[in-house]
Amino acid sequence: MKSNTCDLTKQGGGLSCILLEVEKSAVYNELNQKQTLQLRLLAEELVGMLPELLKNYEGRFWLESEAQEFRLHVALSAPEIDFAQHQNLLAVSTSGKNAAATGIMGKIRAAAESLLLYADSPDVAPTFIFANTDSPDMTFSTSAYYAYTWTLEQYKKQVQQEKSADAWDELEKSIVARLADDVLVGIKGKQVDIIVQKAFA
């Protein structure tokens, strides 16, 4: 099942639509109270992150569900932006602020911002560590092909390898890191997708 699409505007329009579609999908798929709460919490985390992105970009949201598996999709486009706006975004990107994004949702947002800037100017190297792939990310069940991806699962493995106590503490405190099966941020052409995946047993 695919939900209705919510248009997300620079003025913040469409955010309430996200929660409405999630609620409708939970009812349609007969989720119990705990499952509905978990899905809503993931949607609320997503909604909380989007206003910063929507200052410069517009996008769409929809939800897909199949056999108790849910995917919350946000597709952001990278339209032509004026020179001054481009320079401001580039300054933020190269200053290291994105790389030092705090919180898991902050890192997801910064990954999306980095890829959106890359989509507008391919000569600007993304400031995050991305997997370069010409095939689907097999750890994240999706039919889309992405030039670069960042996933929560990859990030968790990186934190484990680096044995960073602060980063691990950040993961343990994150609602999304605890509830989501995975989160993918990927670029395809001039579109950047953020996909939150949750499957209920």
Side-chain angles (χ1 to χ4, degrees), residues 111-161:
E113 286 175 336
S114 183
L115 286 181
L116 284 161
L117 183 60
Y118 171 80
D120 185 63
S121 298
D123 56 319
V124 178
T127 55
F128 259 60
I129 298 173
F130 295 96
N132 190 340
T133 175
D134 57 4
S135 61
D137 184 341
M138 299 309 292
T139 64
F140 190 93
S141 178
T142 176
S143 60
Y145 286 68
Y146 295 102
Y148 289 94
T149 62
W150 179 96
T151 71
L152 181 59
E153 193 61 30
Q154 290 170 346
Y155 177 69
K156 286 179 179 179
K157 290 176 181 176
Q158 178 188 337
V159 170
Q160 287 177 326
Q161 290 172 353

Side-chain angles (χ1 to χ4, degrees), residues 31 53-54 57 76 87 89 118 134 159 168 174 184:
L31 297 185
L53 286 169
L54 294 175
Y57 305 99
L76 298 163
Q87 291 301 102
L89 290 171
Y118 171 80
D134 57 4
V159 170
W168 190 254
S174 166
L184 177 143

Side-chain angles (χ1 to χ4, degrees), residues 37-194:
L37 176 61
Q38 289 180 349
L39 195 63
R40 183 178 174 86
L41 284 171
L42 289 172
E44 287 174 349
E45 289 290 300
L46 190 59
V47 166
M49 175 195 70
L50 286 175
E52 196 68 29
L53 286 169
L54 294 175
K55 286 180 181 178
N56 299 301
Y57 305 99
E58 294 185 348
R60 295 170 293 118
F61 168 88
W62 69 94
L63 184 148
E64 295 176 0
S65 59
E66 183 179 356
Q68 298 283 290
E69 182 175 312
F70 294 80
R71 290 183 189 146
L72 285 67
H73 290 257
V74 171
L76 298 163
S77 58
E80 295 298 326
I81 54 179
D82 62 53
F83 181 76
Q85 186 183 8
H86 173 82
Q87 291 301 102
N88 288 337
L89 290 171
L90 183 60
V92 170
S93 178
T94 57
S95 70
K97 290 181 181 178
N98 278 359
T102 58
I104 299 306
M105 296 311 291
K107 287 178 171 59
I108 293 169
R109 188 196 72 243
E113 286 175 336
S114 183
L115 286 181
L116 284 161
L117 183 60
Y118 171 80
D120 185 63
S121 298
D123 56 319
V124 178
T127 55
F128 259 60
I129 298 173
F130 295 96
N132 190 340
T133 175
D134 57 4
S135 61
D137 184 341
M138 299 309 292
T139 64
F140 190 93
S141 178
T142 176
S143 60
Y145 286 68
Y146 295 102
Y148 289 94
T149 62
W150 179 96
T151 71
L152 181 59
E153 193 61 30
Q154 290 170 346
Y155 177 69
K156 286 179 179 179
K157 290 176 181 176
Q158 178 188 337
V159 170
Q160 287 177 326
Q161 290 172 353
E162 294 175 354
K163 297 181 179 178
S164 168
D166 289 343
W168 190 254
D169 185 56
E170 193 175 67
L171 279 168
E172 289 187 328
K173 290 178 179 177
S174 166
I175 291 173
V176 169
R178 284 189 285 111
L179 294 182
D181 294 332
D182 203 0
V183 179
L184 177 143
V185 182
I187 184 170
K188 180 172 55 178
K190 286 208 165 190
Q191 177 176 302
V192 170
D193 293 338
I194 303 170

